[in-house]
Amino acid sequence: MIEGVELAQRRCVRGAKKLDDETLAALRAMLPAWRVEGGELRRSFRFADFRHAIFFVNAVAAIAEREDHHPDVTIRYRDVELALATHDAGGLTENDFVLAAKIDDAG
Amino acid sequence: MIEGVELAQRRCVRGAKKLDDETLAALRAMLPAWRVEGGELRRSFRFADFRHAIFFVNAVAAIAEREDHHPDVTIRYRDVELALATHDAGGLTENDFVLAAKIDDAG
């Protein structure tokens, strides 16, 4: 059980296990801007324009490379949608929430 | 009727009109890597890894900004999908094919 941790300060780790319902609920409560949809952790961002959207995507990419955990990214002009999941674990793991928290810090 | 032009050397212009069927067919024949799907001009790219995918997206973004014409971009790790359309014209215009040709040069 993870509670009260500073999610954004954790690191993504190899072999993370799919979360149990209780831990999932606790982590979701820590990241209210994100939604769980189709087994993915998703968030939509809107920026002033395309250039700002691309700037953000590059910040996300740098985090993703550092954590070796890569969200799906959709860019529609100034709107960016991110979708996180841990395919190896067959669902959401703590890694997804750690990555989301780091992205929130960058957004 | 546009034929035999070097599409990639043209520029996207304001107020481009939706293409008639004959011109559309001629332009499609010039860009065989692209497909028309759901009223959009689409192409999928696969790269060595995420880093290379992001590098390509930045090249596309620079072209898009220069032409003031912005494709929808979806990144899934090393796969990038682009979708071009001219929403103001209610369909595909020469701008979409000019942008696609410029992206082919960068890809």
Side-chain angles (χ1 to χ4, degrees):
Chain A
M1 183 65 184
I2 310 145
E3 212 158 14
V5 297
E6 279 297 318
L7 263 184
Q9 293 174 16
R10 299 179 73 99
R11 299 294 305 268
C12 293
V13 296
R14 286 182 185 280
K17 295 281 183 297
K18 187 176 171 177
L19 295 166
D20 62 66
D21 291 347
E22 190 188 2
T23 313
L24 182 63
L27 289 173
R28 287 183 68 168
M30 293 181 200
L31 297 178
W34 295 75
R35 62 194 192 277
V36 175
E37 201 180 286
E40 297 178 314
L41 190 60
R42 302 182 76 99
R43 184 173 172 189
S44 306
F45 300 80
R46 169 160 286 186
F47 298 93
D49 54 27
F50 181 77
R51 199 169 56 81
H52 285 80
I54 291 291
F55 188 84
F56 171 69
V57 168
N58 278 292
V60 169
I63 296 167
E65 283 288 90
R66 203 162 56 234
E67 299 300 322
D68 196 20
H69 193 43
H70 302 83
D72 290 347
V73 180
T74 304
I75 310 161
R76 286 194 188 84
Y77 192 55
R78 64 188 183 121
D79 291 307
V80 177
E81 169 100 5
L82 302 182
L84 285 60
T86 306
H87 301 289
D88 290 349
L92 293 172
T93 66
E94 189 187 309
N95 285 352
D96 300 307
F97 287 86
V98 168
L99 191 67
K102 289 180 186 293
I103 289 167
D104 277 351
D105 276 2
Chain B
M1 182 65 186
I2 310 146
E3 212 159 14
V5 297
E6 280 297 318
L7 263 184
Q9 294 175 15
R10 299 179 74 99
R11 300 292 307 266
C12 292
V13 296
R14 285 181 185 281
K17 295 283 182 297
K18 187 176 171 178
L19 294 166
D20 62 66
D21 291 347
E22 190 189 2
T23 312
L24 181 64
L27 290 173
R28 287 184 68 168
M30 291 180 202
L31 297 178
W34 295 75
R35 61 193 192 278
V36 175
E37 203 180 285
E40 296 177 314
L41 190 60
R42 302 183 75 99
R43 183 173 174 190
S44 305
F45 300 79
R46 169 160 284 186
F47 298 93
D49 54 27
F50 181 77
R51 199 168 57 81
H52 285 82
I54 290 292
F55 188 84
F56 171 70
V57 168
N58 278 291
V60 169
I63 296 167
E65 282 290 88
R66 203 160 57 232
E67 299 299 322
D68 195 21
H69 193 41
H70 302 82
D72 290 347
V73 179
T74 304
I75 309 162
R76 288 193 187 83
Y77 193 55
R78 63 189 184 122
D79 292 307
V80 177
E81 169 102 4
L82 302 181
L84 285 60
T86 307
H87 301 289
D88 290 347
L92 292 171
T93 67
E94 189 186 310
N95 285 353
D96 300 307
F97 287 87
V98 168
L99 191 67
K102 289 180 185 294
I103 289 168
D104 277 350
D105 278 2

